[in-house]
Amino acid sequence: MSIIDDDVPYPDAILHFGVFFQGVNHWTVWSAPDSGSQIDPASFRRVAQTAERGLFDAFFLGEGLRLREVDGRIHDLDVAGRPDAITQLAALAAVTERIGLVSTSNTTFNEPADLARRLSGLDLLSEGRAGWNVVTTDNAWTGANFRRGGYLDHADRYRRAEEFLTAARAIWDGWADDAVATSREAQAWSAPVTPVRQRSSQFDIEVTPTLPRSAQGHPVIFQAGDSSDGRDFAARNADVIFSAHGNDFDDALAFAEDIRRRLRAAGRPEDDLRILPGTEIIIGATEQEAREKARWVRLEQVTPATALNIASLVWGFDLSDRDAEGPVPKEDAVVVENTGAFGARRVADPQAVVTKWREQAEANGWSLRETAIALGPQRGHVGTPAALADKFTRFARHGAVHGFNITPYIIPDGLNDIVDLLVPELQERGVYRTEYAGATLREHLGLRPPLTRRGDLTERAS
């Protein structure tokens, strides 16, 4: 085992792992011989049970209300095959015992009285293992399928999300802790339930909650916004924040320090929020084997069609008729306004990216596909189990992360190397649990009680 520097600010840090079952998109190697079905219930079950065997905190599902569009056309390489998250997680509650079950559910197109009840039902069915990834949606292409027509400005999205969460928490708090009768001599099965009334800029509701709280009080609140508004929303409201800041140590540490500052400004303790960047992990017995495996994964992920699609988003016009194994396009980028109505994201400064791609391709003799692999979206960690364990221990003990939300590059066996090879190395370093300490998701994450169950925020921060 490698020696880890003991002079660190968080010497007792414990890493938390989650798994993100993403569905089919270009990050998922769905066409390989050992890739299984993305929609067979057995695939979901195997991933969840493998993660539970590896003592993961949570199994996480995204939400796909509509496939993305590019200039009015379906983005062919988008995520597909996602079932309704709460339905799927309720099924997984019956075949797992400890792992948390986290649903991405949108505040822009759902309503508090309905969604709060469904999440509460998942929390009760799983005996306190539910989580809610609170997301907003900034696009009209999804909203076109909904009654309101859908588009909300950035500030309005977070205003609605906060009012939504306030209403949901009030619904969950509608039952007192001792509301359910504990003896047959009681006059009624439950005490009277407090009706919830909320009048706000987004909602006008009056609802009597129908379900008592679970063993963990409320579903654990996750949030993934990376804008300043999103980070502030998480600092005020969330228990866990996902991020894209988990590959580079300095970047991860800067993000974590920013979140701790925002927590203090919100009157919360700086250890009140768990930071779990999304990542991909590729493991080899040697560094060379790990690099070769990573190369294979990238080639499978960035096919010629995918490379042309990525390049089209960079250049701002359709390149699907080009040769992905040929040179990068000679044309300059076309600047297209990046609005929510557009769909799949283009880059913020396309000409600067085009110039960089062209220069790097010429200097290295890369084809367009090679350039997209080298300079396109990057993610993940590559190495041997021991080297990765040292790396992640450094991340955790310096406070850069509390763990990772892992996207397997292949389903259903993409977690096997992590559970069988990496987890034992982390346990040997004392940075990963050897057994579940509790039964609820809140206990797994070492979280305090729900925010509305603790009293005044200022008192808690002191």
Side-chain angles (χ1 to χ4, degrees), residues 390-439:
D390 284 348
K391 183 179 186 179
F392 294 160
T393 299
R394 178 173 180 248
F395 272 60
R397 290 182 175 170
H398 283 271
V401 303
H402 292 104
F404 296 97
N405 197 39
I406 300 166
T407 301
Y409 57 85
I410 199 166
I411 296 295
D413 296 324
L415 289 182
N416 289 357
D417 284 351
I418 295 167
V419 170
D420 296 332
L421 304 175
L422 176 59
V423 164
E425 292 282 352
L426 293 169
Q427 290 170 330
E428 187 176 354
R429 288 156 177 76
V431 76
Y432 197 86
R433 63 168 64 98
T434 56
E435 61 182 359
Y436 286 111

Side-chain angles (χ1 to χ4, degrees), residues 3-77:
I3 297 174
I4 303 295
D5 181 11
D6 290 329
D7 185 19
V8 292
Y10 302 97
D12 299 321
I14 296 294
L15 280 165
H16 302 270
F17 280 169
V19 57
F20 180 18
F21 193 114
Q22 190 161 314
V24 178
N25 69 358
H26 89 263
W27 295 113
T28 304
V29 181
W30 59 268
S31 58
D34 53 348
S35 177
S37 170
Q38 300 289 322
I39 56 174
D40 189 330
S43 294
F44 290 89
R45 182 174 65 249
R46 282 175 60 180
V47 173
Q49 290 177 339
T50 300
E52 189 168 68
R53 178 169 62 84
L55 305 175
F56 279 42
D57 289 61
F59 177 97
F60 169 68
L61 280 177
E63 179 180 66
L65 297 177
R66 179 171 171 173
L67 292 178
R68 291 180 296 172
E69 298 174 4
V70 180
D71 296 334
R73 295 179 300 164
I74 293 296
H75 179 57
D76 292 335
L77 303 171

